[in-house]
Amino acid sequence: MDKGSDGRLRVSLRHLDEELSTYDVPAHTFDRVAKLVPGEVVDVEIDLLPVGLAFHPGEQLRLVVSGRSLLGTMMPGNREYTSTVNAGKHVVHTGGHRPSYLQLPVLTA
């Protein structure tokens, strides 16, 4: 069974609210749509829902990136959002001058 947090963001709604965003938590304005053109590369900050987990020796953390929801809807009873306007290949750039990372607060006992 998978357990952990969920974070979702349409890349076209990636604009950050500079006043509300912090180093730890990005806040998006959702006030504009900035669609990508083929070949365009942009930085995206996706916040995860808060969760508290304890990891035991030997357990692993797994990050899944997907172009569709793998967990179902955020709200029970709602149909999953489907879009017919998005098409093309989705690329996640990692390394070099475009590093990708997962930033997590870690507390040790």
Side-chain angles (χ1 to χ4, degrees):
M1 175 179 154
D2 290 335
K3 58 184 172 182
S5 190
D6 186 22
R8 301 176 188 206
L9 180 70
R10 296 184 70 84
V11 173
S12 60
L13 297 173
R14 67 191 174 276
H15 184 260
L16 292 173
D17 184 318
E18 298 298 328
E19 290 184 23
L20 294 177
S21 292
T22 66
Y23 176 77
D24 295 318
V25 181
H28 299 88
T29 62
F30 300 110
D31 64 350
R32 65 195 77 174
V33 175
K35 298 229 178 215
L36 299 177
V37 297
E40 182 179 7
V41 178
V42 297
D43 292 334
V44 180
E45 294 187 36
I46 303 170
D47 56 315
L48 300 175
L49 296 173
V51 65
L53 293 173
F55 290 92
H56 301 284
E59 291 186 322
Q60 297 179 346
L61 181 64
R62 179 176 66 150
L63 174 66
V64 177
V65 178
S66 176
R68 63 182 179 85
S69 173
L70 300 175
L71 301 174
T73 61
M74 293 285 285
M75 305 268 311
N78 288 345
R79 290 184 305 160
E80 181 63 23
Y81 176 81
T82 57
S83 173
T84 58
V85 297
N86 292 323
K89 186 176 185 178
H90 297 79
V91 179
V92 176
H93 294 265
T94 61
H97 67 281
R98 292 248 179 230
S100 292
Y101 60 92
L102 176 63
Q103 178 176 309
L104 297 172
V106 176
L107 301 175
T108 57

